[in-house]
């Protein structure tokens, strides 16, 4: 099997520190896949990157063929099979929202162009750095030679959080819950939807989550706000943002995209197994506007996703799905005006 | 299969942050073993522990049955099957060596007593916090009801570093090198010894490392100092001490202790496959003094290690092995006088 080349940006940061080892040991691309790992960060982090490279070497990992630390786009993006774009400008105190959008529009314009110019045309791109959906849209727009379907943003962390909240409430293992949906933006307007989710209870039966939880007030109230605000709650406790769980979710997202969705326990009783990914909306699904990156439930086959259509949407869901779409349209319109013409 | 209870101390720290996820997802105890993970740290870290607990929950890991965050020894050590003692007092600027030994003697006396009083008698103990060998000895002495053979300290990180240095030099994958030995103290006096190590070269033959490297000056010089000083080199680059690679080595150590040593690639041509662990020296192996924790090559069967005897030791090796033993005797004698009589 040919070796693959995987790029991680923001490689000197905390999420990457958890993620790189996981990729290098075979958790994401399998135990038979050798990997060249490319680590990109900004020039002030070059020495830290070297330290991470030393540690990866010290892990003595048989699948890790080569590590390339770089601060140069051409070296970073050339011939890559997978790009995991973790690095972004974080919001600093006193920073206006538009300044944040502008800074990140610049970064993802540059990375989109680098993808367009240097990466394999089959490259799979996952954007993690926030605002992830809009950064992903900009990267895609700036890489017209790469299919739009090769771009996605991360909402799997939100999905894992939602899945775990339900599992804990019901008293089952986390993988006994499936088909949770995250709709929309990876932001506090996201809509974690368990109306179509399933749970395997101890006796082996597969049932709709609402029928097992039997508490619609919780499912439509505290459950949703807990998931929406979980990132902030972790920061409040850890004094640092989520890294371990973000890296885990990135691994889940990319592995499912690569190999298809797997669930050993649940959903043998489900007609269809899906996961949530932020993907390009062409306007033909669930009345969501076109030309935004929106998180939908998707099935995956042959490294290609298909949006799950035909799910019944009630009025409350409709309103939440539209609200998060509206935010994404606004983000897009604000970000696009910052794209430089160069 | 019954669930097991695994304690990690220093659980709010950086090594634990990498380690906990790895344990919880099944890398160490296997994909069929459910786990109760107990996280201990000092009271000022209680809120951070809660944050780590939230993130473990957000990873949605099916094997993770329960997470217990605590700052209480009784709750932490009760009925545990495995104790991974990562937490220790780090050396701070201006701190004398004896102050460091005293502080850690106090910590590991307390944890030894807690093991004695609360843990399963079959508990496997791995000490990582430095000075790891001497901390391990103290814990063992303070837990007389638990067999000495259940105590070990980590030198696997040094072994992985040595293995990786050789693999990189020869141009093979890291798991194509085996039977590297770390003798003695997990400190700069350690002796990384490849005189008995083997390498699989591209044509499939298994050969002694010195015969393949063909550079005794490097093997007896830069190779040894690179491994001895690697921790400092990582700190100089990362500005933080090794965490990812330490967590990886901890996982390797405990997994090999639990399941036996595994090496998929190399050493089918070796008559015996070993790994290095800091274990109790009873004075009967290689002339190493009794009553210190010294890193030896060991084989493992049924969760029980056996020191590999009969390896030929030349004069240069003898001198290095004695030097690191001497340091351990001094550390022990200094630390023991700090044990309180309470």
């Amino acid at each position: 099997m040919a070796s693959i080349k995987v790029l991680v940006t923001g490689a000197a940061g905390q999420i990457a520190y958890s993620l790189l080892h996981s990729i290098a040991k075979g958790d994401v691309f399998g135990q038979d896949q050798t990997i060249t790992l490319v680590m990109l960060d900004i020039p002030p982090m070059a020495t830290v990157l070297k330290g991470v490279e030393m540690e990866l070497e010290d892990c003595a990992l048989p699948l890790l063929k080569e590590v390339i630390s770089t601060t140069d786009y051409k070296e970073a993006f050339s011939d890559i099979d997978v790009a995991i774009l973790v690095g972004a400008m974080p919001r600093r105190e006193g920073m206006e929202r538009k300044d944040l959008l502008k800074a990140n529009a610049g970064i993802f314009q540059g990375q989109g162009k680098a993808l367009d110019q240097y990466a394999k045309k089959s490259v799979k791109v996952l954007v993690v750095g926030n605002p992830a959906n809009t950064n992903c849209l900009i990267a895609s727009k700036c890489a017209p030679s790469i299919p739009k379907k090769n771009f996605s943003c991360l909402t799997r962390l939100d999905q894992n959080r939602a899945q775990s909240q339900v599992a804990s409430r019901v008293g089952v293992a986390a993988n006994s819950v499936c088909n949770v949906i995250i709709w929309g933006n990876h932001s506090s307007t996201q809509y974690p939807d368990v109306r179509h989710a399933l749970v395997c209870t101890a006796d082996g039966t597969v049932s709709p989550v609402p029928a097992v939880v039997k508490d619609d007030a919780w499912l439509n109230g505290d459950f949703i706000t807990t998931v929406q605000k979980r990132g902030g709650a972790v920061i409040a406790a850890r004094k640092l943002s989520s890294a371990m769980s973000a890296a885990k979710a990135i691994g889940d997202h990319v592995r499912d995209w690569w190999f298809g969705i797997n669930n050993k326990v649940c959903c043998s009783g489900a007609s269809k197994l899906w996961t949530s990914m932020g993907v390009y909306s062409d306007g033909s699904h669930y009345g969501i506007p076109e030309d935004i990156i929106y998180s939908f439930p998707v099935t995956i086959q042959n490294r290609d996703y298909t949006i799950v259509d035909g799910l019944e949407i009630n009025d409350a869901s409709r309103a939440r799905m539209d609200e998060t779409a509206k935010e994404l349209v606004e983000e897009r319109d604000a970000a696009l005006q910052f794209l430089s013409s160069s």
Side-chain angles (χ1 to χ4, degrees), chain A residues 235-255:
Chain A
I235 292 174
R238 277 224 315 141
K239 321 294 177 222
L240 291 167
S241 59
S242 305
M244 172 209 293
S245 52
K248 162 63 164 59
I250 292 167
D252 290 345
H253 178 115
V254 177
R255 193 186 55 246

Side-chain angles (χ1 to χ4, degrees), chain A residues 143-165:
Chain A
S145 69
I146 296 168
K148 284 191 164 41
K149 284 199 85 175
N150 292 18
F151 286 82
S152 68
C153 84
L154 188 75
T155 54
R156 184 62 172 263
L157 176 53
D158 308 299
Q159 179 184 313
N160 285 350
R161 287 166 171 167
Q163 196 174 324
S164 176
Q165 289 296 317

Side-chain angles (χ1 to χ4, degrees), chain A residues 35-223:
Chain A
I35 289 170
T36 294
L37 202 47
V38 189
M39 308 197 295
L40 174 75
D41 214 308
I42 53 177
M45 305 309 281
T47 312
V48 175
L49 279 187
K50 279 290 162 199
V52 176
E53 187 179 333
M54 291 166 76
E55 281 213 74
L56 282 166
E57 193 179 355
D58 294 349
C59 285
L61 298 164
L63 297 173
L64 192 57
K65 201 180 149 199
E66 190 185 0
V67 180
I68 298 170
S69 306
T70 183
T71 60
D72 176 73
Y73 274 18
K74 184 177 178 186
E75 189 178 13
F77 287 88
S78 287
D79 301 317
I80 51 172
D81 297 279
V82 177
I84 304 175
L85 308 182
V86 178
M89 172 72 75
R91 189 160 188 168
R92 299 226 172 78
E93 214 177 320
M95 199 181 218
E96 297 279 336
R97 182 176 170 73
K98 68 166 192 249
D99 295 330
L100 183 73
L101 279 168
K102 185 175 180 177
N104 281 299
I107 292 170
F108 286 86
Q109 178 175 26
Q111 298 196 347
K113 285 181 179 175
L115 283 163
D116 198 51
Q117 200 170 351
Y118 305 121
K120 287 189 184 165
K121 297 307 171 196
S122 59
V123 64
K124 300 288 185 190
V125 182
L126 168 61
V127 177
V128 178
N130 284 317
N133 299 54
T134 300
N135 290 343
C136 181
L137 181 72
I138 289 170
S140 170
K141 282 183 181 294
C142 297
S145 69
I146 296 168
K148 284 191 164 41
K149 284 199 85 175
N150 292 18
F151 286 82
S152 68
C153 84
L154 188 75
T155 54
R156 184 62 172 263
L157 176 53
D158 308 299
Q159 179 184 313
N160 285 350
R161 287 166 171 167
Q163 196 174 324
S164 176
Q165 289 296 317
V166 170
S168 163
R169 180 86 174 196
V170 178
V172 296
N175 62 342
S176 297
V177 175
C178 67
N179 287 2
V180 169
I181 302 170
I182 304 295
W183 299 99
N185 199 359
H186 173 63
S187 77
S188 61
T189 66
Q190 67 175 259
Y191 171 35
D193 174 5
V194 294
R195 291 184 61 248
H196 309 277
L198 301 171
V199 61
C200 312
T201 37
D203 60 1
T205 58
V206 176
S207 320
V209 163
V212 178
V213 171
K214 293 188 186 106
D215 186 345
D216 285 349
W218 181 76
L219 283 177
N220 295 317
D222 281 355
F223 162 72

Side-chain angles (χ1 to χ4, degrees), chain A residues 242-280:
Chain A
S242 305
M244 172 209 293
S245 52
K248 162 63 164 59
I250 292 167
D252 290 345
H253 178 115
V254 177
R255 193 186 55 246
D256 281 358
W257 204 359
W258 204 255
F259 291 113
I261 302 166
N262 179 38
N263 186 311
K264 274 189 282 191
V265 172
C266 199
C267 295
S268 49
S271 58
K272 196 181 270 185
L273 193 57
W274 61 70
T275 188
S276 298
M277 288 169 63
V279 297
Y280 189 77

